[in-house]
Amino acid sequence: MSPVSERLESADAPTRPAVLDTAEQVCEQYFAFVWRNAQRLGVHGEAVDDVVQDVLLVVHRRFPEFEWRSSLETWLFGILLRVVSKHRRAVKRRNSQEPL
């Protein structure tokens, strides 16, 4: 067996940190992470507030289903990508409906 495969087999799956038992605790600890990444993904101005709020609502709704197969950052970033995509589609739709 190669050293790489030995390390992969011995690697433990991500475990649930004792500090993060509720969605509220996750939201408090990772708020800045979500905020920074929303800005990095190009969300501007006051829309950042709305996008971050939407992400945190999804976290509250979906946290009991989170299986800890990935890190929280990965899970949160995936949620953020989908919320930002939805936000961009809404902005594009709104702008296309405005009269010239």
Side-chain angles (χ1 to χ4, degrees):
M1 188 178 287
S2 70
V4 173
S5 60
E6 287 176 9
R7 277 188 290 169
L8 289 175
E9 286 181 7
S10 67
D12 295 329
T15 56
R16 180 182 209 143
V19 178
L20 302 174
D21 289 333
T22 65
E24 291 82 13
Q25 292 169 337
V26 171
C27 291
E28 287 176 17
Q29 184 166 347
Y30 287 95
F31 178 82
F33 171 81
V34 173
W35 182 273
R36 273 192 321 272
N37 283 295
Q39 290 180 321
R40 287 179 183 155
L41 289 172
V43 180
H44 296 289
E46 294 177 6
V48 175
D49 291 332
D50 295 334
V51 167
V52 171
Q53 181 179 11
D54 288 346
V55 169
L56 299 181
L57 288 172
V58 172
V59 169
H60 274 275
R61 190 175 64 241
R62 298 285 186 159
F63 187 70
E65 300 169 11
F66 183 55
E67 297 177 355
W68 298 92
R69 291 185 294 172
S70 65
S71 69
L72 272 171
E73 289 90 356
T74 302
W75 183 63
L76 289 169
F77 195 78
I79 294 170
L80 177 63
L81 283 176
R82 287 184 288 280
V83 169
V84 168
S85 176
K86 181 180 171 186
H87 168 74
R88 286 183 179 152
R89 283 193 307 270
V91 168
K92 192 174 186 178
R93 190 174 334 119
R94 208 174 314 126
N95 289 340
S96 69
Q97 293 175 354
E98 292 179 4
L100 295 177

